[in-house]
Amino acid sequence: MAGPVPQTDRVPVGVDPTRASIARVYDAFLNGKDNYEIDREVLRGVQRAAPEAQELATENRGFLIRVCRFIATQTGVHQYLDCGSGLPTAENVHQAVQRVDPDSRVVYVDNDPVVLAHGRALLEENENTHFVSADIFKPKEILENEIVRKHIDFTEPLAFFQLGTLHHYEGPNEEPAQIMREYIDALPSGSYVAISHFLDPENEHSSIARKMEDVFRHSPMGSGTFRTKAEIEALFDGLEMIDPGVTLCADWWQDGPRLKPLNQVQYCIAGGVGRKP
Ligand code: SAM
């Protein structure tokens, strides 16, 4: 029997529900509601390769929240430029940092129309949070963007985030490092850069990483490159790494003792934080 159309299946203007999007697939991985069948199909495909696939997203999000707390409590930085915000989820950057430091300013950047349609209102919930619709792989455009310039003071240290984004860049392998170099060059001394990225752990879990990569890249979403630790470290060129450097997201200052062994997917996502000298 046909019932009311579920909220998730109402399609905002300008959104193509027959093509998967990175933001919606990520939302599906996090058990969110802003995704369509085509996005869930990508999730199921990756789960066939690795049943614990959703851990890619949960580990990434756990890392994001711990990084936010670290920066808000330890560094004296009060402004955040978050590239590739994603759809609003349970705890977003501004909520994590403004809980510690209510005056901290957050500018989110994303280019997904569903993030715009559903997310903007939720992410811009106070006068210190702002949203920019732009392409994060074009540093010049982001750095010269009017809203970014209005709310981020480039004469003061800032926190710059590329969390779960650079592995979706589809182009020559060396280009994400060039993109990061342009951003890092523009940051004032004392700024912090956080990156998380799909990892090929180059050990017994390498084959599962490459299987997931194959599914992502050949899925209706079409992107998801797993890089080695050395390749991810190259994205932080010119920065002093905060202890413990680039490591598994699961190992980056976890909240408490670990009682369970990591599963194979938890070995396939890494992150780190660097400081510009
Ligand atoms: N940063 C969030 C996190 O770590 O939880 C969300 C990560 S989500 C996997 C990646 C986000 O980057 C998506 O919302 C997607 O729309 C956005 N994105 C991907 N390519 C982009 C581009 N070229 N310009 C702007 N945003 C982009």
Side-chain angles (χ1 to χ4, degrees):
M1 197 174 69
V5 179
Q7 183 72 30
T8 47
D9 289 332
R10 268 189 224 132
V11 180
V13 177
V15 172
D16 181 355
T18 66
R19 294 179 54 193
S21 94
I22 297 164
R24 287 188 267 122
V25 169
Y26 186 60
D27 182 67
F29 270 67
L30 288 172
N31 299 318
K33 298 203 170 0
D34 292 318
N35 53 76
Y36 305 122
E37 182 52 26
I38 190 88
D39 308 306
R40 298 188 284 274
E41 197 179 303
V42 179
L43 168 60
R44 289 193 297 268
V46 188
Q47 281 173 322
R48 279 193 288 277
E52 312 89 343
Q54 284 176 281
E55 297 274 358
L56 286 175
T58 40
E59 283 301 343
N60 183 66
R61 206 67 201 177
F63 172 76
L64 172 150
I65 289 166
R66 296 195 300 281
V67 167
C68 284
R69 284 203 300 259
F70 161 71
I71 291 178
T73 58
Q74 301 295 318
T75 67
V77 163
H78 303 288
Q79 43 178 6
Y80 299 78
L81 181 55
D82 182 14
C83 288
S85 60
L87 282 154
T89 176
E91 190 173 15
N92 302 291
V93 168
H94 73 283
Q95 288 148 340
V97 302
Q98 289 172 356
R99 189 171 303 134
V100 178
D101 172 16
D103 293 330
S104 48
R105 300 187 302 284
V106 178
V107 176
Y108 292 110
V109 187
D110 209 290
N111 68 349
D112 187 291
V114 178
V115 177
L116 270 161
H118 290 308
R120 200 166 203 167
L122 287 168
L123 293 175
E124 282 191 323
E125 68 182 6
N126 62 50
E127 62 182 18
N128 285 330
T129 61
H130 302 275
F131 190 94
V132 171
S133 171
D135 185 345
I136 57 170
F137 299 140
K138 297 190 172 145
K140 196 167 146 52
E141 280 179 30
I142 304 298
L143 293 165
E144 289 176 0
N145 180 280
E146 212 181 320
I147 301 170
V148 171
R149 284 281 158 184
K150 183 165 174 207
H151 299 289
I152 302 282
D153 175 359
F154 279 81
T155 67
E156 293 284 327
L158 60 120
F160 178 82
F161 293 167
Q162 285 278 5
L163 301 173
T165 51
L166 294 162
H167 47 228
H168 292 299
Y169 181 81
E170 283 295 302
N173 197 33
E174 66 282 1
E175 276 183 11
Q178 280 165 21
I179 291 170
M180 283 309 300
R181 195 162 305 123
E182 272 188 66
Y183 278 120
I184 291 169
D185 279 350
L187 298 177
S189 162
S191 293
Y192 288 81
V193 172
I195 297 171
S196 57
H197 200 292
F198 291 156
L199 174 74
D200 172 350
E202 300 175 283
N203 59 17
E204 69 271 30
H205 305 295
S206 203
S207 62
I208 202 77
R210 293 303 174 191
K211 263 193 215 163
M212 290 192 286
E213 175 177 77
D214 190 55
V215 178
F216 274 127
R217 298 193 71 192
H218 294 99
S219 74
M221 186 175 78
S223 64
T225 299
F226 286 63
R227 292 193 163 83
T228 63
K229 184 173 183 225
E231 288 172 326
I232 298 172
E233 281 168 344
L235 302 172
F236 291 92
D237 193 33
L239 303 177
E240 293 164 350
M241 293 309 291
I242 301 296
D243 190 42
V246 172
T247 186
L248 298 181
C249 287
D251 283 340
W252 199 91
W253 299 106
Q254 54 175 291
D255 282 328
R258 179 178 296 149
L259 301 179
K260 294 190 297 186
L262 295 182
N263 65 50
Q264 55 182 357
V265 170
Q266 290 172 301
Y267 285 97
C268 299
I269 180 137
V273 177
R275 180 181 180 279
K276 183 157 174 183

